[in-house]
């Protein structure tokens, strides 16, 4: 059997995602579609606006055959680690190809750039410029222009480069395919026809504005009854507590730079309002995404040592849901030995090493923290789409 992977956040699933999914199916007509999906925390260091199980239902309802979770120790990280986790999971699931959104849509050019980026010259120049105090995206763009003669890349192309590098990192035979992004960009605030960015849709949801025309029918039917949309500021009391209570341990937190922990501690002591706090701790060196990731990692206790471990190998693969095609593919995967796939936590301690069990527990504890704000129903086994009744 063949499988094509897509890496998604679906925060929430909208018409642009439907286009991506349809094209992935057209490009790989003999494959099932597997989505590696961020769970309760996403790559920009924010909580997902809706919980992982609601997203899994939405994903299956919109036509994906199997949904697996990208654990929080990958999903809340920078593009490099996010991509390594996602591609590693697709490799464990024996995917033949993967399709990602791209501003350029030029897969061969992205392959060429990714190879050049791994040169010693590029890495040295990047480190030199970082010492000047600029943010990583700014430094990356300047180095691209200087070393590679390239214009600035946009967010999807940058992530696409990391997917390509991750395929090499895992020595995978997955074939990457770049799909040119249409209509609107990742952070676009404009609505073009029935296309809007997830950023714009989240803004509409926060203001309780109508979204019926900019999401799929399946997504709308789920979102219209959802009553607990979740935002970063909701977690500030918990983040503030961690920054003050564990101020001496902040240097161990993933992505924390020397000295920044003092800035965070002082801000937490001084400001009770999240917006005031965030404005006080931000500077030109740190992008919004970088700062939010540090805060999320502090909230969850995600350390440098945990990150170091999960970059070495994929510890497990958790299935959140599937349809009949997905079930058939899962049965196919059972033929292979040493499977890391989880559909149930029963006898987990007998199947996995203590180290892997601790990572599984870390991900579940992170979701318990999310549920302090959004108390969703937590499923113990995968959601099975009953296609004949579309449930």
């Amino acid at each position: 059997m063949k499988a094509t992977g897509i890496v998604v956040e679906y925060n929430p699933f909208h018409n642009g995602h439907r286009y991506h999914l349809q094209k992935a199916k057209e490009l790989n007509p003999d494959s099932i579609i597997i989505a590696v999906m961020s769970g309760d925390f996403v790559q920009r260091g924010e909580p997902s606006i809706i919980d992982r199980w609601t997203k899994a239902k939405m994903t299956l309802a919109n036509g994906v055959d199997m949904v697996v979770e990208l654990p929080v120790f990958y999903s809340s990280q920078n593009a490099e680690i996010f991509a390594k986790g996602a591609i590693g999971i697709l490799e464990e699931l024996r995917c033949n190809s993967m399709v990602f959104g791209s501003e350029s849509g030029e897969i061969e050019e992205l392959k060429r750039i990714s190879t050049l980026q791994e040169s010693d010259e590029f890495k040295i120049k990047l480190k030199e410029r970082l010492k000047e105090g600029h943010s990583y995206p700014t430094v990356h763009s300047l180095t691209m222009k200087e070393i590679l003669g390239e214009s600035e890349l946009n967010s999807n192309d940058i992530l696409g480069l990391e997917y390509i590098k991750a395929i090499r990192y895992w020595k995978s035979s997955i074939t990457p395919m770049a799909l040119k992004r249409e209509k609107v960009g990742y952070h676009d605030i404009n609505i073009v026809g029935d296309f809007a960015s997830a950023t714009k849709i989240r803004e509409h949801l926060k203001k309780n504005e109508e979204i019926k025309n900019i999401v799929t029918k399946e997504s709308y039917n789920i979102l219209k009854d959802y009553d607990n949309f979740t935002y970063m500021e909701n977690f500030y009391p918990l983040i503030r507590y961690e920054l003050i209570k564990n101020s001496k341990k902040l240097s161990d937190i993933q992505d924390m730079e020397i000295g920044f922990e003092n800035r965070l501690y002082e801000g937490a002591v001084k400001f009770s309002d999240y917006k005031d706090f965030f404005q006080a701790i931000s500077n030109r060196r740190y992008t919004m995404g970088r700062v939010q990731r540090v805060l999320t990692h502090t909230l969850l206790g995600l350390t440098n040592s945990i990150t170091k471990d999960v970059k070495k190998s994929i510890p497990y693969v958790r299935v959140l849901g599937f349809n009949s095609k997905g079930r058939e593919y899962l049965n196919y995967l059972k033929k292979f030995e040493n499977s890391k796939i989880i559909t149930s936590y029963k006898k987990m301690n007998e199947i996995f090493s203590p180290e892997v069990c601790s990572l599984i527990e870390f991900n579940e504890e992170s979701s318990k923290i999310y549920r302090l704000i959004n108390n969703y129903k937590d499923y113990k086994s995968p959601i099975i789409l009953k296609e004949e009744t579309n449930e």
Side-chain angles (χ1 to χ4, degrees), residues 126-191:
L126 195 68
K127 288 181 180 179
E128 289 176 353
R129 286 195 175 277
L130 280 170
K131 293 177 182 178
E132 297 173 3
H134 298 288
S135 68
Y136 182 86
T138 299
V139 169
H140 188 277
S141 177
L142 291 170
T143 309
M144 285 280 290
K145 291 176 182 177
E146 181 176 348
I147 303 297
L148 308 179
E150 299 290 341
S151 59
E152 183 178 356
L153 291 175
N154 291 311
S155 55
N156 287 127
D157 275 340
I158 291 172
L159 189 53
L161 291 172
E162 295 301 334
Y163 290 142
I164 293 167
K165 287 190 276 188
I167 288 171
R168 286 201 290 267
Y169 178 84
W170 295 117
K171 298 180 173 59
S172 172
S173 60
I174 291 173
T175 300
M177 301 178 181
L179 177 65
K180 185 172 176 60
R181 191 175 180 120
E182 298 288 344
K183 305 287 187 179
V184 294
Y186 185 71
H187 298 298
D188 229 319
I189 60 173
N190 296 318
I191 297 175

Side-chain angles (χ1 to χ4, degrees), residues 14 61 144 150 170 193 213 222 226 248 254 283 308 315 369:
H14 55 68
M144 285 280 290
E150 299 290 341
W170 295 117
N213 294 329
I222 292 172
Y226 200 81
K248 304 300 182 184
Q254 171 67 11
N283 59 32
K308 183 179 179 181
I369 292 171

Side-chain angles (χ1 to χ4, degrees), residues 267-365:
V269 170
K270 185 175 181 180
F271 297 103
S272 59
D273 181 78
Y274 177 70
K275 290 182 179 178
D276 293 338
F277 165 78
F278 196 87
Q279 185 175 5
I281 65 173
S282 300
N283 59 32
R284 69 172 188 168
R285 183 175 177 84
Y286 301 99
T287 63
M288 178 184 290
R290 175 72 181 275
V291 173
Q292 288 179 163
R293 281 194 289 272
V294 171
L295 296 178
T296 293
H297 296 165
T298 301
L299 171 68
L300 304 179
L302 180 52
T303 61
N304 293 310
S305 60
I306 292 174
T307 301
K308 183 179 179 181
D309 288 341
V310 298
K311 286 170 71 175
K312 295 176 183 176
S313 66
I314 301 299
Y316 68 95
V317 179
R318 198 211 178 157
V319 179
L320 297 181
F322 51 83
N323 61 18
S324 59
K325 291 181 181 177
R327 185 202 295 272
E328 186 180 357
Y329 191 76
L330 276 173
N331 289 332
Y332 162 74
L333 290 175
K334 290 178 182 178
K335 298 192 303 181
F336 302 97
E337 296 181 359
N338 302 319
S339 173
K340 298 180 180 181
I341 299 172
I342 297 174
T343 54
S344 169
Y345 285 145
K346 291 180 181 178
K347 299 182 179 179
M348 182 180 73
N349 294 325
E350 298 176 17
I351 300 171
F352 294 105
S353 68
E355 292 76 17
V356 171
C357 287
S358 70
L359 289 171
I360 294 172
E361 289 165 1
F362 180 88
N363 187 69
E364 294 312 299
E365 286 172 0

Side-chain angles (χ1 to χ4, degrees), residues 45-58:
E46 298 173 310
S48 177
I49 194 171
I50 52 178
D51 68 88
R52 57 181 174 173
W53 291 107
T54 299
K55 288 197 294 185
K57 290 178 184 177
M58 192 179 297

